[in-house]
């Protein structure tokens, strides 16, 4: 009987922790500042991947999650920056498809023809624009406080 009670308590705690993690993920981009910061983090990661790009099956996929979540909420950015971001993340999605094809076929031939220089340029323009926007708008929004399970 005591084992069952402890198991129930343990399961409730695990459920609360999982729920908290899922809620944090959904609440991550509530403000334009948070969305821009998350896009910049993805761009930084993608730049590192593009610079380290090698033609083998261990290539990592580009990050496009924050763009997919926020692309319809980018009204706060100017049109040229939105176009640069759309271009960079659409190229990243194409690279991800090519990486998947290379993994499925177990051949790096799909990766050999990819023009990594184009995505590097697009990522650099997007990064510069986002950094300028973040600098210009840094003091205009309240600071973000991430709340955890216990406060």
């Amino acid at each position: 009987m005591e084992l069952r009670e402890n198991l129930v308590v343990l399961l409730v705690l695990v459920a609360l922790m999982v729920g908290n993690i899922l809620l944090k993920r959904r609440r991550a981009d509530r403000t334009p500042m948070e969305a821009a910061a998350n896009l910049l983090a993805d761009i930084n990661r993608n730049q590192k991947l593009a610079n380290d790009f090698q033609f083998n099956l261990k290539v990592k996929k580009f990050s496009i999650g924050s763009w997919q979540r926020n692309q319809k909420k980018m009204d706060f950015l100017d049109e040229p920056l939105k176009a640069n971001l759309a271009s960079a993340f659409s190229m990243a999605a194409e690279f991800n498809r090519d990486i998947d094809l290379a993994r499925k076929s177990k051949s790096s031939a799909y990766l050999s023809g990819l023009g990594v220089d184009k995505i590097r340029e697009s990522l650099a323009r997007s990064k510069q624009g986002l950094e300028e926007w973040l600098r210009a708008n840094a003091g205009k929004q309240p600071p973000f406080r991430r709340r955890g399970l216990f406060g």
Side-chain angles (χ1 to χ4, degrees):
M1 191 66 161
E2 190 174 310
L3 178 63
R4 236 183 247 175
E5 291 171 358
N6 289 338
L7 187 60
V8 169
V9 170
L10 182 65
L11 288 175
V12 168
L13 286 175
V14 169
L16 286 172
M17 289 172 47
V18 168
N20 187 41
I21 291 169
L22 293 175
L23 287 176
K24 271 187 188 178
R25 185 170 293 176
R26 289 186 185 142
R27 292 187 309 228
D29 304 333
R30 285 189 281 180
T31 66
M33 188 66 74
E34 294 167 16
N38 287 337
L39 283 173
L40 186 59
D42 276 359
I43 287 173
N44 287 333
R45 180 180 186 277
N46 290 345
Q47 279 185 318
K48 184 177 180 338
L49 291 175
N51 290 335
D52 298 340
F53 195 78
Q54 296 177 6
F55 303 123
N56 61 33
L57 295 178
K58 302 285 183 188
V59 173
K60 293 182 182 178
K61 292 170 81 172
F62 289 93
S63 297
I64 57 173
S66 61
W67 176 251
Q68 290 174 333
R69 274 192 319 274
N70 296 309
Q71 67 183 348
K72 292 183 173 89
K73 300 183 251 179
M74 292 291 137
D75 296 336
F76 58 91
L77 297 175
D78 60 354
E79 289 302 319
L81 179 55
K82 284 195 288 190
N84 282 338
L85 288 167
S87 172
F89 284 104
S90 70
M91 278 190 258
E94 289 174 23
F95 270 86
N96 287 346
R97 283 191 291 276
D98 291 338
I99 290 168
D100 285 340
L101 283 173
R103 287 180 182 164
K104 285 179 184 175
S105 69
K106 298 184 182 190
S107 169
S108 61
Y110 286 105
L111 302 178
S112 62
L114 297 179
V116 181
D117 292 334
K118 284 193 271 182
I119 196 169
R120 283 185 190 141
E121 293 169 9
S122 186
L123 288 170
R125 285 191 308 269
S126 297
K127 180 179 180 176
Q128 180 183 5
L130 276 177
E131 285 175 340
E132 289 173 4
W133 186 89
L134 284 166
R135 272 194 301 273
N137 294 288
K140 296 181 181 176
Q141 298 192 9
F144 175 67
R145 276 187 52 211
R146 178 166 279 168
R147 295 183 56 133
L149 180 62
F150 300 108

